[in-house]
Amino acid sequence: MLSACADSPRAAPSQASTPADSASRSASTPASPSAGGVLLAYFSRAGENYFNGGRRRLTIGNTEVVAGMISRLTGCAVHRIEAADPYPDDYEPTVARNVREQNANARPAIANPLDSIGRYDTILLGSPIWNVRAPMIMTTFVEGLDFSGRIVHPLTTHAMSGVGTTERDYAAICRGATIGEGLAARGEEVADAEPDVAAWLRRIGLLS
């Protein structure tokens, strides 16, 4: 079961998801060297999502909404992680797939992997929380990269699980990284999250 989520699944009535803002489409721009050493890499899922005990169909995933805010506020480089085998549009099949992937400790393939993060000093890793942890595709993404000397800040959208196990998980699998302060935004409330996002960016030194 998925105890909490945002951007999609949770395996039984449980948590997460919210409306989105078309301006977040700006977060889908490719990473570029003009970013001042900051990279936001995120995975997000639209489609049918859990929402306050029911379901709501999102045209933009919750994590993408928050990513759009960060992109607009900081001008950082952005890399949207795309699954080679896209997740279903419907909620229950996505829940079932996530359960299989977590149970198998799977590494879902990425359609657009990054070869290197060498030009970046600070990495923001964004994702929903599905069943208390980031989707397994985030493990696929980070395991192939060298984080030596870099600061990693988890960014999550969720229903009840906050940052979930991301701090512990990224500490174990982001080779050489220092794990900094994370941000958790409740899925149902992401449309109004910009003040909290801006305050977090100031605390971690990415916004004056």
Side-chain angles (χ1 to χ4, degrees), residues 66-125:
V66 179
M69 294 172 183
I70 294 170
S71 175
R72 291 192 302 274
L73 289 167
T74 68
C76 67
V78 179
H79 180 75
R80 176 171 175 159
I81 300 164
E82 302 281 2
D85 177 15
Y87 286 82
D89 187 65
D90 290 339
Y91 178 86
E92 297 301 340
T94 301
V95 169
R97 175 173 164 179
N98 181 69
V99 169
R100 292 193 302 271
E101 289 176 348
Q102 286 190 345
N103 288 344
N105 196 27
R107 300 293 185 269
I110 294 174
N112 57 337
L114 285 182
D115 294 330
S116 171
I117 54 173
R119 64 171 67 102
Y120 305 108
D121 299 319
T122 301
I123 315 295
L124 312 180
L125 292 177

Side-chain angles (χ1 to χ4, degrees), residues 15-39:
Q15 296 90 30
S17 293
T18 120
D21 160 3
S22 60
S24 68
R25 288 298 181 193
S26 63
S28 298
T29 57
S32 75
S34 62
V38 180
L39 172 67

Side-chain angles (χ1 to χ4, degrees), residues 126-173:
S127 74
I129 292 295
W130 292 354
N131 198 25
V132 194
R133 65 181 300 181
M136 296 306 296
I137 197 168
M138 295 301 294
T139 302
T140 307
F141 179 76
V142 302
E143 278 187 339
L145 298 170
D146 182 2
F147 288 84
S148 297
R150 292 171 176 81
I151 298 175
V152 169
H153 294 278
L155 158 69
T156 67
T157 54
H158 69 98
M160 292 175 61
S161 293
V163 295
T165 63
T166 56
E167 293 171 331
R168 181 187 70 199
D169 294 343
Y170 292 151
I173 58 180

